[in-house]
Structures are given as C-alpha cells and as structure tokens.
PDB file of all heavy atoms in Angstrom:
ATOM      1  N   THR A 284     -18.006  67.190 -23.411  1.00 96.00           N
ATOM      2  CA  THR A 284     -19.076  67.804 -22.625  1.00 96.00           C
ATOM      3  C   THR A 284     -20.415  67.255 -23.072  1.00 96.00           C
ATOM      4  O   THR A 284     -20.706  67.200 -24.276  1.00 96.00           O
ATOM      5  CB  THR A 284     -19.076  69.339 -22.765  1.00 96.00           C
ATOM      6  OG1 THR A 284     -17.844  69.851 -22.262  1.00 96.00           O
ATOM      7  CG2 THR A 284     -20.215  69.959 -21.981  1.00 96.00           C
ATOM      8  N   ARG A 285     -21.228  66.848 -22.100  1.00 96.00           N
ATOM      9  CA  ARG A 285     -22.596  66.403 -22.370  1.00 96.00           C
ATOM     10  C   ARG A 285     -23.525  67.606 -22.310  1.00 96.00           C
ATOM     11  O   ARG A 285     -23.380  68.487 -21.457  1.00 96.00           O
ATOM     12  CB  ARG A 285     -23.046  65.377 -21.325  1.00 96.00           C
ATOM     13  CG  ARG A 285     -22.234  64.107 -21.277  1.00 96.00           C
ATOM     14  CD  ARG A 285     -22.653  63.256 -20.090  1.00 96.00           C
ATOM     15  NE  ARG A 285     -24.025  62.771 -20.201  1.00 96.00           N
ATOM     16  CZ  ARG A 285     -24.718  62.250 -19.186  1.00 96.00           C
ATOM     17  NH1 ARG A 285     -24.156  62.164 -17.987  1.00 96.00           N
ATOM     18  NH2 ARG A 285     -25.952  61.818 -19.370  1.00 96.00           N
ATOM     19  N   PHE A 286     -24.490  67.630 -23.180  1.00 97.00           N
ATOM     20  CA  PHE A 286     -25.497  68.687 -23.210  1.00 97.00           C
ATOM     21  C   PHE A 286     -26.880  68.049 -23.189  1.00 97.00           C
ATOM     22  O   PHE A 286     -27.109  67.027 -23.838  1.00 97.00           O
ATOM     23  CB  PHE A 286     -25.357  69.543 -24.475  1.00 97.00           C
ATOM     24  CG  PHE A 286     -24.070  70.309 -24.564  1.00 97.00           C
ATOM     25  CD1 PHE A 286     -22.939  69.729 -25.134  1.00 97.00           C
ATOM     26  CD2 PHE A 286     -23.985  71.606 -24.078  1.00 97.00           C
ATOM     27  CE1 PHE A 286     -21.747  70.432 -25.222  1.00 97.00           C
ATOM     28  CE2 PHE A 286     -22.804  72.323 -24.162  1.00 97.00           C
ATOM     29  CZ  PHE A 286     -21.675  71.734 -24.735  1.00 97.00           C
ATOM     30  N   ALA A 287     -27.806  68.652 -22.446  1.00 97.00           N
ATOM     31  CA  ALA A 287     -29.182  68.161 -22.403  1.00 97.00           C
ATOM     32  C   ALA A 287     -30.131  69.338 -22.298  1.00 97.00           C
ATOM     33  O   ALA A 287     -29.882  70.292 -21.550  1.00 97.00           O
ATOM     34  CB  ALA A 287     -29.388  67.216 -21.237  1.00 97.00           C
ATOM     35  N   LEU A 288     -31.230  69.272 -23.028  1.00 97.00           N
ATOM     36  CA  LEU A 288     -32.186  70.370 -23.125  1.00 97.00           C
ATOM     37  C   LEU A 288     -33.585  69.798 -23.273  1.00 97.00           C
ATOM     38  O   LEU A 288     -33.770  68.728 -23.866  1.00 97.00           O
ATOM     39  CB  LEU A 288     -31.844  71.234 -24.349  1.00 97.00           C
ATOM     40  CG  LEU A 288     -32.691  72.471 -24.611  1.00 97.00           C
ATOM     41  CD1 LEU A 288     -32.347  73.576 -23.614  1.00 97.00           C
ATOM     42  CD2 LEU A 288     -32.477  72.966 -26.044  1.00 97.00           C
ATOM     43  N   ALA A 289     -34.585  70.503 -22.753  1.00 97.00           N
ATOM     44  CA  ALA A 289     -35.988  70.110 -22.931  1.00 97.00           C
ATOM     45  C   ALA A 289     -36.689  71.126 -23.823  1.00 97.00           C
ATOM     46  O   ALA A 289     -36.451  72.338 -23.717  1.00 97.00           O
ATOM     47  CB  ALA A 289     -36.698  70.031 -21.592  1.00 97.00           C
ATOM     48  N   THR A 290     -37.568  70.633 -24.686  1.00 97.00           N
ATOM     49  CA  THR A 290     -38.359  71.498 -25.565  1.00 97.00           C
ATOM     50  C   THR A 290     -39.799  71.002 -25.604  1.00 97.00           C
ATOM     51  O   THR A 290     -40.132  69.934 -25.080  1.00 97.00           O
ATOM     52  CB  THR A 290     -37.819  71.497 -27.005  1.00 97.00           C
ATOM     53  OG1 THR A 290     -38.128  70.235 -27.620  1.00 97.00           O
ATOM     54  CG2 THR A 290     -36.317  71.741 -27.045  1.00 97.00           C
ATOM     55  N   ALA A 291     -40.618  71.774 -26.273  1.00 97.00           N
ATOM     56  CA  ALA A 291     -41.989  71.352 -26.541  1.00 97.00           C
ATOM     57  C   ALA A 291     -41.972  70.166 -27.496  1.00 97.00           C
ATOM     58  O   ALA A 291     -41.036  70.002 -28.287  1.00 97.00           O
ATOM     59  CB  ALA A 291     -42.780  72.503 -27.150  1.00 97.00           C
ATOM     60  N   PRO A 292     -43.007  69.313 -27.461  1.00 96.00           N
ATOM     61  CA  PRO A 292     -43.028  68.143 -28.347  1.00 96.00           C
ATOM     62  C   PRO A 292     -43.062  68.507 -29.826  1.00 96.00           C
ATOM     63  O   PRO A 292     -42.680  67.691 -30.667  1.00 96.00           O
ATOM     64  CB  PRO A 292     -44.301  67.401 -27.919  1.00 96.00           C
ATOM     65  CG  PRO A 292     -45.125  68.415 -27.203  1.00 96.00           C
ATOM     66  CD  PRO A 292     -44.164  69.339 -26.552  1.00 96.00           C
ATOM     67  N   GLU A 293     -43.488  69.721 -30.144  1.00 97.00           N
ATOM     68  CA  GLU A 293     -43.574  70.125 -31.552  1.00 97.00           C
ATOM     69  C   GLU A 293     -42.215  70.459 -32.155  1.00 97.00           C
ATOM     70  O   GLU A 293     -42.096  70.632 -33.375  1.00 97.00           O
ATOM     71  CB  GLU A 293     -44.500  71.334 -31.709  1.00 97.00           C
ATOM     72  CG  GLU A 293     -45.969  71.045 -31.416  1.00 97.00           C
ATOM     73  CD  GLU A 293     -46.324  71.151 -29.948  1.00 97.00           C
ATOM     74  OE1 GLU A 293     -45.383  71.347 -29.120  1.00 97.00           O
ATOM     75  OE2 GLU A 293     -47.517  71.045 -29.596  1.00 97.00           O
ATOM     76  N   ALA A 294     -41.169  70.581 -31.311  1.00 97.00           N
ATOM     77  CA  ALA A 294     -39.839  70.884 -31.837  1.00 97.00           C
ATOM     78  C   ALA A 294     -39.382  69.766 -32.769  1.00 97.00           C
ATOM     79  O   ALA A 294     -39.532  68.581 -32.459  1.00 97.00           O
ATOM     80  CB  ALA A 294     -38.851  71.069 -30.699  1.00 97.00           C
ATOM     81  N   GLU A 295     -38.807  70.147 -33.907  1.00 97.00           N
ATOM     82  CA  GLU A 295     -38.425  69.170 -34.928  1.00 97.00           C
ATOM     83  C   GLU A 295     -36.925  68.890 -34.949  1.00 97.00           C
ATOM     84  O   GLU A 295     -36.494  67.816 -35.391  1.00 97.00           O
ATOM     85  CB  GLU A 295     -38.873  69.675 -36.301  1.00 97.00           C
ATOM     86  CG  GLU A 295     -40.392  69.858 -36.383  1.00 97.00           C
ATOM     87  CD  GLU A 295     -40.818  70.740 -37.553  1.00 97.00           C
ATOM     88  OE1 GLU A 295     -39.913  71.290 -38.233  1.00 97.00           O
ATOM     89  OE2 GLU A 295     -42.029  70.893 -37.779  1.00 97.00           O
ATOM     90  N   ARG A 296     -36.141  69.852 -34.483  1.00 98.00           N
ATOM     91  CA  ARG A 296     -34.690  69.702 -34.539  1.00 98.00           C
ATOM     92  C   ARG A 296     -34.068  70.685 -33.555  1.00 98.00           C
ATOM     93  O   ARG A 296     -34.565  71.806 -33.389  1.00 98.00           O
ATOM     94  CB  ARG A 296     -34.184  69.974 -35.958  1.00 98.00           C
ATOM     95  CG  ARG A 296     -32.682  69.910 -36.147  1.00 98.00           C
ATOM     96  CD  ARG A 296     -32.322  70.385 -37.551  1.00 98.00           C
ATOM     97  NE  ARG A 296     -30.877  70.479 -37.759  1.00 98.00           N
ATOM     98  CZ  ARG A 296     -30.294  71.195 -38.716  1.00 98.00           C
ATOM     99  NH1 ARG A 296     -31.069  71.877 -39.575  1.00 98.00           N
ATOM    100  NH2 ARG A 296     -28.988  71.233 -38.827  1.00 98.00           N
ATOM    101  N   VAL A 297     -32.998  70.277 -32.878  1.00 98.00           N
ATOM    102  CA  VAL A 297     -32.279  71.159 -31.958  1.00 98.00           C
ATOM    103  C   VAL A 297     -30.810  71.157 -32.327  1.00 98.00           C
ATOM    104  O   VAL A 297     -30.183  70.090 -32.410  1.00 98.00           O
ATOM    105  CB  VAL A 297     -32.453  70.719 -30.491  1.00 98.00           C
ATOM    106  CG1 VAL A 297     -31.597  71.595 -29.569  1.00 98.00           C
ATOM    107  CG2 VAL A 297     -33.919  70.791 -30.073  1.00 98.00           C
ATOM    108  N   GLU A 298     -30.266  72.354 -32.553  1.00 98.00           N
ATOM    109  CA  GLU A 298     -28.851  72.513 -32.860  1.00 98.00           C
ATOM    110  C   GLU A 298     -28.133  73.150 -31.674  1.00 98.00           C
ATOM    111  O   GLU A 298     -28.586  74.169 -31.141  1.00 98.00           O
ATOM    112  CB  GLU A 298     -28.646  73.415 -34.070  1.00 98.00           C
ATOM    113  CG  GLU A 298     -29.144  72.871 -35.379  1.00 98.00           C
ATOM    114  CD  GLU A 298     -28.919  73.888 -36.494  1.00 98.00           C
ATOM    115  OE1 GLU A 298     -29.724  74.831 -36.603  1.00 98.00           O
ATOM    116  OE2 GLU A 298     -27.927  73.753 -37.229  1.00 98.00           O
ATOM    117  N   LEU A 299     -27.030  72.547 -31.271  1.00 98.00           N
ATOM    118  CA  LEU A 299     -26.124  73.158 -30.303  1.00 98.00           C
ATOM    119  C   LEU A 299     -25.157  74.045 -31.066  1.00 98.00           C
ATOM    120  O   LEU A 299     -24.501  73.588 -32.016  1.00 98.00           O
ATOM    121  CB  LEU A 299     -25.372  72.070 -29.545  1.00 98.00           C
ATOM    122  CG  LEU A 299     -24.197  72.523 -28.676  1.00 98.00           C
ATOM    123  CD1 LEU A 299     -24.690  73.345 -27.490  1.00 98.00           C
ATOM    124  CD2 LEU A 299     -23.383  71.323 -28.212  1.00 98.00           C
ATOM    125  N   CYS A 300     -25.055  75.306 -30.672  1.00 98.00           N
ATOM    126  CA  CYS A 300     -24.145  76.247 -31.318  1.00 98.00           C
ATOM    127  C   CYS A 300     -22.951  76.483 -30.405  1.00 98.00           C
ATOM    128  O   CYS A 300     -23.111  77.002 -29.297  1.00 98.00           O
ATOM    129  CB  CYS A 300     -24.845  77.572 -31.597  1.00 98.00           C
ATOM    130  SG  CYS A 300     -26.228  77.420 -32.723  1.00 98.00           S
ATOM    131  N   LEU A 301     -21.768  76.096 -30.837  1.00 98.00           N
ATOM    132  CA  LEU A 301     -20.527  76.302 -30.101  1.00 98.00           C
ATOM    133  C   LEU A 301     -19.832  77.500 -30.726  1.00 98.00           C
ATOM    134  O   LEU A 301     -19.477  77.482 -31.916  1.00 98.00           O
ATOM    135  CB  LEU A 301     -19.654  75.053 -30.173  1.00 98.00           C
ATOM    136  CG  LEU A 301     -20.317  73.778 -29.620  1.00 98.00           C
ATOM    137  CD1 LEU A 301     -19.486  72.547 -29.952  1.00 98.00           C
ATOM    138  CD2 LEU A 301     -20.530  73.893 -28.122  1.00 98.00           C
ATOM    139  N   VAL A 302     -19.646  78.540 -29.943  1.00 97.00           N
ATOM    140  CA  VAL A 302     -19.187  79.825 -30.471  1.00 97.00           C
ATOM    141  C   VAL A 302     -17.763  80.082 -30.007  1.00 97.00           C
ATOM    142  O   VAL A 302     -17.462  80.012 -28.805  1.00 97.00           O
ATOM    143  CB  VAL A 302     -20.120  80.965 -30.020  1.00 97.00           C
ATOM    144  CG1 VAL A 302     -19.671  82.295 -30.615  1.00 97.00           C
ATOM    145  CG2 VAL A 302     -21.563  80.660 -30.424  1.00 97.00           C
ATOM    146  N   ASP A 303     -16.881  80.406 -30.952  1.00 94.00           N
ATOM    147  CA  ASP A 303     -15.489  80.703 -30.642  1.00 94.00           C
ATOM    148  C   ASP A 303     -15.349  82.142 -30.168  1.00 94.00           C
ATOM    149  O   ASP A 303     -16.282  82.954 -30.260  1.00 94.00           O
ATOM    150  CB  ASP A 303     -14.615  80.481 -31.880  1.00 94.00           C
ATOM    151  CG  ASP A 303     -14.604  79.019 -32.324  1.00 94.00           C
ATOM    152  OD1 ASP A 303     -14.828  78.157 -31.457  1.00 94.00           O
ATOM    153  OD2 ASP A 303     -14.390  78.773 -33.525  1.00 94.00           O
ATOM    154  N   ALA A 304     -14.142  82.467 -29.712  1.00 88.00           N
ATOM    155  CA  ALA A 304     -13.878  83.809 -29.195  1.00 88.00           C
ATOM    156  C   ALA A 304     -14.078  84.881 -30.255  1.00 88.00           C
ATOM    157  O   ALA A 304     -14.424  86.025 -29.943  1.00 88.00           O
ATOM    158  CB  ALA A 304     -12.455  83.879 -28.636  1.00 88.00           C
ATOM    159  N   ASP A 305     -13.873  84.532 -31.530  1.00 90.00           N
ATOM    160  CA  ASP A 305     -14.040  85.522 -32.600  1.00 90.00           C
ATOM    161  C   ASP A 305     -15.467  85.579 -33.124  1.00 90.00           C
ATOM    162  O   ASP A 305     -15.743  86.272 -34.110  1.00 90.00           O
ATOM    163  CB  ASP A 305     -13.075  85.229 -33.748  1.00 90.00           C
ATOM    164  CG  ASP A 305     -13.299  83.853 -34.374  1.00 90.00           C
ATOM    165  OD1 ASP A 305     -14.251  83.160 -33.949  1.00 90.00           O
ATOM    166  OD2 ASP A 305     -12.531  83.477 -35.274  1.00 90.00           O
ATOM    167  N   GLY A 306     -16.393  84.831 -32.476  1.00 91.00           N
ATOM    168  CA  GLY A 306     -17.802  84.882 -32.851  1.00 91.00           C
ATOM    169  C   GLY A 306     -18.225  83.864 -33.878  1.00 91.00           C
ATOM    170  O   GLY A 306     -19.408  83.797 -34.230  1.00 91.00           O
ATOM    171  N   ARG A 307     -17.300  83.042 -34.365  1.00 94.00           N
ATOM    172  CA  ARG A 307     -17.681  82.010 -35.329  1.00 94.00           C
ATOM    173  C   ARG A 307     -18.338  80.832 -34.605  1.00 94.00           C
ATOM    174  O   ARG A 307     -17.981  80.510 -33.478  1.00 94.00           O
ATOM    175  CB  ARG A 307     -16.453  81.527 -36.093  1.00 94.00           C
ATOM    176  CG  ARG A 307     -15.877  82.575 -37.043  1.00 94.00           C
ATOM    177  CD  ARG A 307     -14.680  82.027 -37.775  1.00 94.00           C
ATOM    178  NE  ARG A 307     -13.617  81.635 -36.857  1.00 94.00           N
ATOM    179  CZ  ARG A 307     -12.479  81.062 -37.249  1.00 94.00           C
ATOM    180  NH1 ARG A 307     -12.278  80.801 -38.533  1.00 94.00           N
ATOM    181  NH2 ARG A 307     -11.554  80.731 -36.347  1.00 94.00           N
ATOM    182  N   GLN A 308     -19.268  80.172 -35.279  1.00 95.00           N
ATOM    183  CA  GLN A 308     -19.991  79.072 -34.660  1.00 95.00           C
ATOM    184  C   GLN A 308     -19.803  77.775 -35.432  1.00 95.00           C
ATOM    185  O   GLN A 308     -19.559  77.781 -36.631  1.00 95.00           O
ATOM    186  CB  GLN A 308     -21.480  79.381 -34.566  1.00 95.00           C
ATOM    187  CG  GLN A 308     -22.180  79.391 -35.918  1.00 95.00           C
ATOM    188  CD  GLN A 308     -23.703  79.389 -35.804  1.00 95.00           C
ATOM    189  OE1 GLN A 308     -24.260  78.976 -34.810  1.00 95.00           O
ATOM    190  NE2 GLN A 308     -24.363  79.876 -36.848  1.00 95.00           N
ATOM    191  N   ARG A 309     -19.881  76.692 -34.716  1.00 96.00           N
ATOM    192  CA  ARG A 309     -20.072  75.385 -35.337  1.00 96.00           C
ATOM    193  C   ARG A 309     -21.261  74.748 -34.650  1.00 96.00           C
ATOM    194  O   ARG A 309     -21.494  74.960 -33.453  1.00 96.00           O
ATOM    195  CB  ARG A 309     -18.830  74.499 -35.246  1.00 96.00           C
ATOM    196  CG  ARG A 309     -18.425  74.067 -33.844  1.00 96.00           C
ATOM    197  CD  ARG A 309     -17.124  73.273 -33.891  1.00 96.00           C
ATOM    198  NE  ARG A 309     -16.629  72.925 -32.572  1.00 96.00           N
ATOM    199  CZ  ARG A 309     -16.643  71.700 -32.066  1.00 96.00           C
ATOM    200  NH1 ARG A 309     -17.172  70.697 -32.777  1.00 96.00           N
ATOM    201  NH2 ARG A 309     -16.151  71.456 -30.869  1.00 96.00           N
ATOM    202  N   THR A 310     -22.036  73.994 -35.389  1.00 97.00           N
ATOM    203  CA  THR A 310     -23.278  73.449 -34.849  1.00 97.00           C
ATOM    204  C   THR A 310     -23.212  71.932 -34.782  1.00 97.00           C
ATOM    205  O   THR A 310     -22.575  71.273 -35.608  1.00 97.00           O
ATOM    206  CB  THR A 310     -24.489  73.869 -35.693  1.00 97.00           C
ATOM    207  OG1 THR A 310     -24.347  73.351 -37.017  1.00 97.00           O
ATOM    208  CG2 THR A 310     -24.605  75.390 -35.728  1.00 97.00           C
ATOM    209  N   VAL A 311     -23.892  71.394 -33.782  1.00 97.00           N
ATOM    210  CA  VAL A 311     -23.999  69.949 -33.577  1.00 97.00           C
ATOM    211  C   VAL A 311     -25.463  69.642 -33.292  1.00 97.00           C
ATOM    212  O   VAL A 311     -26.091  70.291 -32.442  1.00 97.00           O
ATOM    213  CB  VAL A 311     -23.134  69.479 -32.393  1.00 97.00           C
ATOM    214  CG1 VAL A 311     -23.308  67.981 -32.169  1.00 97.00           C
ATOM    215  CG2 VAL A 311     -21.673  69.830 -32.622  1.00 97.00           C
ATOM    216  N   ASP A 312     -26.021  68.690 -33.993  1.00 98.00           N
ATOM    217  CA  ASP A 312     -27.407  68.313 -33.758  1.00 98.00           C
ATOM    218  C   ASP A 312     -27.522  67.460 -32.502  1.00 98.00           C
ATOM    219  O   ASP A 312     -26.717  66.547 -32.272  1.00 98.00           O
ATOM    220  CB  ASP A 312     -27.958  67.540 -34.955  1.00 98.00           C
ATOM    221  CG  ASP A 312     -28.432  68.461 -36.049  1.00 98.00           C
ATOM    222  OD1 ASP A 312     -27.597  68.851 -36.893  1.00 98.00           O
ATOM    223  OD2 ASP A 312     -29.616  68.823 -36.033  1.00 98.00           O
ATOM    224  N   LEU A 313     -28.537  67.764 -31.695  1.00 98.00           N
ATOM    225  CA  LEU A 313     -28.849  66.948 -30.528  1.00 98.00           C
ATOM    226  C   LEU A 313     -29.776  65.814 -30.933  1.00 98.00           C
ATOM    227  O   LEU A 313     -30.512  65.914 -31.930  1.00 98.00           O
ATOM    228  CB  LEU A 313     -29.503  67.794 -29.430  1.00 98.00           C
ATOM    229  CG  LEU A 313     -28.544  68.484 -28.443  1.00 98.00           C
ATOM    230  CD1 LEU A 313     -27.742  69.562 -29.146  1.00 98.00           C
ATOM    231  CD2 LEU A 313     -29.313  69.096 -27.284  1.00 98.00           C
ATOM    232  N   THR A 314     -29.755  64.742 -30.155  1.00 97.00           N
ATOM    233  CA  THR A 314     -30.580  63.571 -30.416  1.00 97.00           C
ATOM    234  C   THR A 314     -31.819  63.609 -29.536  1.00 97.00           C
ATOM    235  O   THR A 314     -31.737  63.899 -28.339  1.00 97.00           O
ATOM    236  CB  THR A 314     -29.796  62.284 -30.132  1.00 97.00           C
ATOM    237  OG1 THR A 314     -28.635  62.251 -30.962  1.00 97.00           O
ATOM    238  CG2 THR A 314     -30.651  61.051 -30.379  1.00 97.00           C
ATOM    239  N   ARG A 315     -32.961  63.322 -30.137  1.00 95.00           N
ATOM    240  CA  ARG A 315     -34.203  63.237 -29.370  1.00 95.00           C
ATOM    241  C   ARG A 315     -34.136  62.002 -28.478  1.00 95.00           C
ATOM    242  O   ARG A 315     -34.010  60.881 -28.968  1.00 95.00           O
ATOM    243  CB  ARG A 315     -35.389  63.167 -30.326  1.00 95.00           C
ATOM    244  CG  ARG A 315     -36.754  63.285 -29.676  1.00 95.00           C
ATOM    245  CD  ARG A 315     -37.846  63.180 -30.739  1.00 95.00           C
ATOM    246  NE  ARG A 315     -39.161  63.276 -30.163  1.00 95.00           N
ATOM    247  CZ  ARG A 315     -40.004  64.281 -30.348  1.00 95.00           C
ATOM    248  NH1 ARG A 315     -39.640  65.296 -31.124  1.00 95.00           N
ATOM    249  NH2 ARG A 315     -41.197  64.286 -29.803  1.00 95.00           N
ATOM    250  N   ALA A 316     -34.216  62.207 -27.137  1.00 90.00           N
ATOM    251  CA  ALA A 316     -33.878  61.121 -26.217  1.00 90.00           C
ATOM    252  C   ALA A 316     -35.024  60.652 -25.337  1.00 90.00           C
ATOM    253  O   ALA A 316     -34.836  59.740 -24.531  1.00 90.00           O
ATOM    254  CB  ALA A 316     -32.711  61.550 -25.328  1.00 90.00           C
ATOM    255  N   GLY A 317     -36.199  61.236 -25.432  1.00 85.00           N
ATOM    256  CA  GLY A 317     -37.288  60.768 -24.583  1.00 85.00           C
ATOM    257  C   GLY A 317     -38.321  61.849 -24.358  1.00 85.00           C
ATOM    258  O   GLY A 317     -38.098  63.024 -24.670  1.00 85.00           O
ATOM    259  N   THR A 318     -39.450  61.417 -23.803  1.00 85.00           N
ATOM    260  CA  THR A 318     -40.551  62.342 -23.551  1.00 85.00           C
ATOM    261  C   THR A 318     -40.931  62.268 -22.084  1.00 85.00           C
ATOM    262  O   THR A 318     -41.043  61.170 -21.513  1.00 85.00           O
ATOM    263  CB  THR A 318     -41.779  61.988 -24.409  1.00 85.00           C
ATOM    264  OG1 THR A 318     -41.402  62.011 -25.779  1.00 85.00           O
ATOM    265  CG2 THR A 318     -42.902  62.989 -24.170  1.00 85.00           C
ATOM    266  N   GLY A 319     -41.123  63.438 -21.464  1.00 76.00           N
ATOM    267  CA  GLY A 319     -41.491  63.504 -20.060  1.00 76.00           C
ATOM    268  C   GLY A 319     -42.981  63.380 -19.841  1.00 76.00           C
ATOM    269  O   GLY A 319     -43.775  63.375 -20.790  1.00 76.00           O
ATOM    270  N   ASP A 320     -43.359  63.299 -18.571  1.00 71.00           N
ATOM    271  CA  ASP A 320     -44.772  63.157 -18.226  1.00 71.00           C
ATOM    272  C   ASP A 320     -45.591  64.345 -18.703  1.00 71.00           C
ATOM    273  O   ASP A 320     -46.776  64.210 -19.009  1.00 71.00           O
ATOM    274  CB  ASP A 320     -44.927  63.001 -16.710  1.00 71.00           C
ATOM    275  CG  ASP A 320     -44.325  61.698 -16.214  1.00 71.00           C
ATOM    276  OD1 ASP A 320     -44.157  60.782 -17.035  1.00 71.00           O
ATOM    277  OD2 ASP A 320     -44.019  61.614 -15.010  1.00 71.00           O
ATOM    278  N   GLY A 321     -44.969  65.520 -18.758  1.00 75.00           N
ATOM    279  CA  GLY A 321     -45.694  66.707 -19.191  1.00 75.00           C
ATOM    280  C   GLY A 321     -45.740  66.869 -20.695  1.00 75.00           C
ATOM    281  O   GLY A 321     -46.261  67.871 -21.192  1.00 75.00           O
ATOM    282  N   GLY A 322     -45.157  65.899 -21.450  1.00 83.00           N
ATOM    283  CA  GLY A 322     -45.158  65.982 -22.901  1.00 83.00           C
ATOM    284  C   GLY A 322     -43.916  66.637 -23.464  1.00 83.00           C
ATOM    285  O   GLY A 322     -43.685  66.598 -24.680  1.00 83.00           O
ATOM    286  N   ASP A 323     -43.074  67.236 -22.622  1.00 91.00           N
ATOM    287  CA  ASP A 323     -41.857  67.871 -23.094  1.00 91.00           C
ATOM    288  C   ASP A 323     -40.865  66.796 -23.548  1.00 91.00           C
ATOM    289  O   ASP A 323     -40.897  65.656 -23.097  1.00 91.00           O
ATOM    290  CB  ASP A 323     -41.243  68.755 -22.010  1.00 91.00           C
ATOM    291  CG  ASP A 323     -41.294  68.102 -20.637  1.00 91.00           C
ATOM    292  OD1 ASP A 323     -42.390  67.690 -20.232  1.00 91.00           O
ATOM    293  OD2 ASP A 323     -40.243  68.001 -19.985  1.00 91.00           O
TER     294      ASP A 323
END
C-alpha cells in the first residue's frame, strides 16, 4: 500500500502508524518527497 500525506514545511518527521486488531502499532517513517506551491 502506498501512503501520501501533506504537512506544513516545519514538520521534521512523519510516522505512519499501522495498528493491529489488538491495538498494537508498528511505525514506518515516510520520506519527504517534495514541496508544493503553497509551501506544504
């Protein structure tokens, strides 16, 4: 599965949290992939 998200330029790190049925999580760091015209 591909994931994509936009944040403010001040964001330093984004973690994807994958949550199991029992509530446990595993995290995956997203890669900074570009900047939009609005600075996001």
Side-chain angles (χ1 to χ4, degrees):
T284 298
R285 299 172 65 195
F286 296 88
L288 182 74
T290 72
E293 292 85 354
E295 299 163 355
R296 177 188 174 200
V297 175
E298 294 178 280
L299 169 68
C300 298
L301 302 170
V302 182
D303 296 334
D305 60 3
R307 291 181 300 177
Q308 70 167 337
R309 66 184 175 108
T310 62
V311 178
D312 277 87
L313 272 68
T314 301
R315 189 181 180 112
T318 302
D320 294 339
D323 42 307

